[in-house]
Amino acid sequence: MRTMKLAIIGCGGIANGKHMPSLAKLSNVEMIGFCDIEIARAEKAAKEYGVEDAKIYEDYRDLLQNEEIEVVHVLTPNDSHAEISIAALNAGKHVMCEKPMAKTANEARLMVEAAKRSGKKLTIGYNNRFRPDSQHLHNLCERGDLGEIYYAKAHAIRRRAVPTWGVFLDEEKQGGGPLIDIGTHALDLTLWMMNNYKPKSVMGTTYNKLSKKENAANAWGPWDPEKFTVEDSAFGFITMQNGATIVLEASWALNSLDVDEAKCSLSGTDGGADMKDGLRIHGESFGKLYTTNVELNSGGVAFYDGNSESDADLEARLWIESIIHNTEPIVQPEQAYVVTQILEAIYESAKTGKAVYFEDMTL
């Protein structure tokens, strides 16, 4: 298996916390280029994860001129995802772009078009698809165990965990708050399980109820209300063309003990499932109701947990293999585009107080 020459654009938190450690475990990947507007971060990343003669860049345009580079991971703030990804695709690179795909649906559409035009692969970093519970539930859904899934909930609720670092609270850089940050994961999971990417209409609400509180309790310390320019909560009611309904809930700070993140609940004609307490599958059999808790531990022997990959490691490995073997990536850009369309529609509906109908939109 040949070695892929890869470059990192954006050497901040998500690069260090997810992408580079997972890529470093792959024997068929060499990280040969690192770019960041803060050059010290690129230098640090190159020293820790790069090949001996890895190149450092301050401008992504210079990096893209390096013909050795075959794959680029775009790990920058949301407002530059589309610009950099499109430029990389046009330069003949395969692109992994972190979630969300883009700030706007139009930017996401342009990314899909660039991928098709270039013939290069584009995927989005929805790593929660690669968790053991997600993989198992998706296999059940594909097999038809739940029947027709006509009602679902997408969960992304934190009680008090507002990210206070970086640009998370900056609407201009991010395009929104918890909806576009963590709600995007929950919605992606839900649509993937349902295999339904044809929305009909969306009603949405957003709130800034807790964001203005001084000295608030928070996992990472109190936030600055003056800098909290995005919503603290958002909720969406989504109807699909086939009549299915999805309720999406997303919040960084909510007075609720019902806390779940990047999870979904599914109701089908033949059964249901949720990720509330592990992975639970439920239905009826011989006139009786049942609930099954799926054992996802790969071990089963004392003092041995088995061999398993983290979701980030599996995501990285399968992405690289899709390039080498010329297969479709697990997360296809057209799917991520629909996620972005729905998120944008929730924000639009929240502003206008009216439903957004997809028949009236350019898809």
Side-chain angles (χ1 to χ4, degrees):
M1 191 175 291
R2 71 186 186 86
T3 300
M4 303 298 299
K5 308 289 187 182
L6 188 144
I8 302 292
I9 300 178
C11 301
I14 197 67
N16 286 279
K18 171 185 160 183
H19 290 263
M20 295 189 297
S22 293
L23 290 167
K25 296 175 183 177
L26 300 176
S27 60
N28 57 347
V29 168
E30 288 184 352
M31 286 177 268
I32 68 170
F34 297 85
C35 177
D36 199 284
I37 56 175
E38 294 185 21
I39 199 70
R41 291 199 302 203
E43 291 172 344
K44 179 176 180 292
K47 184 177 180 180
E48 291 183 17
Y49 296 104
V51 296
E52 187 175 348
D53 57 347
K55 294 181 170 56
I56 308 300
Y57 302 88
E58 200 168 3
D59 190 324
Y60 76 87
R61 299 172 188 85
D62 296 331
L63 179 149
L64 294 179
Q65 291 179 17
N66 185 339
E67 295 183 358
E68 270 194 283
I69 296 169
E70 302 168 272
V71 187
V72 167
H73 281 219
V74 178
L75 314 176
T76 58
N78 299 348
D79 65 339
S80 60
H81 282 185
E83 174 190 327
I84 298 173
S85 295
I86 291 169
L89 290 163
N90 289 340
K93 320 296 185 187
H94 302 287
V95 175
M96 155 71 82
C97 177
E98 247 309 318
K99 64 80 193 168
M101 188 173 190
K103 270 182 63 174
T104 69
N106 184 58
E107 288 178 340
R109 178 180 58 81
L110 293 174
M111 290 169 68
V112 173
E113 291 175 353
K116 290 180 178 178
R117 187 171 57 247
S118 68
K120 297 299 177 179
K121 296 188 185 300
L122 169 65
T123 195
I124 308 301
Y126 285 120
N127 57 282
N128 286 288
R129 289 195 190 189
F130 300 89
R131 299 187 329 233
D133 58 340
S134 302
Q135 291 279 303
H136 188 81
L137 181 54
H138 186 255
N139 287 335
L140 294 179
C141 292
E142 274 197 320
R143 194 171 65 181
D145 287 28
L146 304 188
E148 177 195 351
I149 303 170
Y150 58 91
Y151 179 61
K153 291 183 180 179
H155 309 287
I157 296 292
R158 298 175 181 173
R159 187 180 179 189
R160 289 293 190 284
V162 176
T164 54
W165 65 92
V167 296
F168 281 102
L169 304 182
D170 186 333
E171 185 173 13
E172 183 62 30
K173 290 285 187 185
Q174 291 295 91
L179 179 62
I180 202 170
D181 177 42
I182 57 177
T184 190
H185 274 302
L187 180 57
D188 173 71
L189 266 185
T190 305
L191 297 177
W192 188 51
M193 297 301 175
M194 299 173 77
N195 190 27
N196 191 341
Y197 293 91
K198 295 183 178 180
K200 180 180 180 181
S201 66
V202 168
M203 278 291 294
T205 53
T206 60
Y207 296 96
N208 293 85
K209 298 295 187 179
L210 303 186
S211 62
K212 304 309 174 188
K213 290 186 178 293
E214 300 277 354
N215 300 312
N218 190 50
W220 294 289
W223 56 81
D224 182 348
E226 294 299 318
K227 295 180 179 178
F228 205 138
T229 62
V230 296
E231 82 279 358
D232 56 44
S233 299
F235 307 93
F237 187 87
I238 306 148
T239 56
M240 310 301 282
Q241 289 182 20
N242 71 343
T245 300
I246 301 171
V247 175
L248 169 60
E249 51 183 22
S251 183
W252 285 331
L254 190 70
N255 286 322
S256 171
L257 296 179
D258 190 14
V259 175
D260 291 291
E261 187 171 334
K263 297 180 181 180
C264 64
S265 300
L266 308 172
S267 298
T269 53
D270 295 330
D274 68 46
M275 298 166 157
K276 289 281 187 177
D277 182 18
L279 177 57
R280 303 185 298 188
I281 312 299
H282 49 88
E284 62 175 306
S285 180
F286 301 109
K288 302 294 183 181
L289 298 176
Y290 70 85
T291 302
T292 300
N293 287 76
V294 180
E295 176 57 64
L296 296 167
N297 191 326
S298 60
V301 180
F303 311 112
Y304 178 67
D305 290 330
N307 295 317
S308 61
E309 293 176 286
S310 71
D311 56 328
D313 291 351
L314 183 59
E315 176 189 47
R317 179 172 64 80
L318 293 181
W319 159 236
I320 296 300
E321 287 180 3
S322 76
I323 298 171
I324 291 173
H325 300 303
N326 193 27
T327 56
E328 290 289 341
I330 300 297
V331 181
Q332 298 175 29
E334 294 85 358
Q335 297 171 338
Y337 172 39
V338 174
V339 174
T340 303
Q341 287 180 302
I342 293 174
L343 297 179
E344 183 175 84
I346 292 173
Y347 282 126
E348 179 63 23
S349 175
K351 288 178 182 177
T352 64
K354 299 177 181 179
V356 174
Y357 292 92
F358 281 76
E359 292 91 340
D360 300 331
M361 299 174 67
T362 302
L363 299 179

